[in-house]
């Protein structure tokens, strides 16, 4: 197996892991929203289903932490790719571009007022 093929295999698993975490977060958030919507539509007390919503909320937090760990792994693997002689940008991924490593400074409200004045 060539070095690029090894890197692509690992990258493909990483991309699927990241996508699975995003999907799990989406589903959990939709479940919370749907439980709340159904409860309100049918006139049930907020007490009904509260423990379940609280538990799912904790799972969202855990999934968010897992997503952070996956992103850290992604950064680590990208950094290590050079030791294989692989350029991470040449690997096939999720088809989305990454944000710049040094994003431009955000403008504050005061800065905007100064620009307008």
């Amino acid at each position: 197996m060539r070095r690029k093929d090894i890197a692509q295999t690992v990258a493909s698993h990483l991309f699927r892991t990241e996508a699975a975490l995003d999907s799990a977060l989406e589903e959990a958030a939709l479940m919370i929203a749907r439980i709340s919507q159904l409860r309100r539509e049918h006139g049930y007390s907020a007490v009904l289903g509260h423990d379940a919503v609280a538990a799912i909320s904790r799972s969202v937090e855990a999934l968010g932490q897992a997503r952070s760990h996956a992103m850290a792994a992604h950064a680590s693997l990208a950094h290590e790719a050079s030791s294989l002689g692989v350029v991470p940008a040449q690997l096939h991924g999720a088809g989305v571009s990454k944000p710049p490593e040094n994003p431009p400074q955000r403008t504050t409200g005061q800065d905007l007022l100064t620009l307008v004045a």
Side-chain angles (χ1 to χ4, degrees):
M1 196 177 235
R2 296 178 318 156
R3 290 176 182 195
K4 185 175 180 182
D5 294 332
I6 292 169
Q8 183 61 63
T9 299
V10 171
S12 295
H13 284 283
L14 175 65
F15 299 142
R16 287 195 302 271
T17 299
E18 291 172 337
L21 287 167
D22 282 343
S23 292
L25 280 166
E26 292 167 16
E27 288 299 323
L30 289 171
M31 183 176 180
I32 291 169
R34 190 66 176 135
I35 288 171
S36 296
Q37 179 185 27
L38 288 169
R39 182 192 55 75
R40 283 190 324 275
E41 284 176 3
H42 296 280
Y44 291 114
S45 164
V47 173
L48 182 66
H50 172 74
D51 290 342
V53 169
I56 297 163
S57 296
R58 289 189 299 276
S59 73
V60 167
E61 180 180 359
L63 286 165
Q65 290 173 356
R67 188 174 185 271
S68 293
H69 294 308
M71 290 174 17
H74 192 142
S76 178
L77 289 168
H79 178 73
E80 295 296 327
S82 62
S83 66
L84 288 175
V86 175
V87 178
Q90 294 176 343
L91 300 175
H92 301 289
V96 296
S97 59
K98 296 179 184 175
E101 288 190 29
N102 296 316
Q105 296 294 326
R106 294 182 184 225
T107 305
T108 66
Q110 185 62 42
D111 293 337
L112 288 173
L113 291 174
T114 303
L115 290 173
V116 173

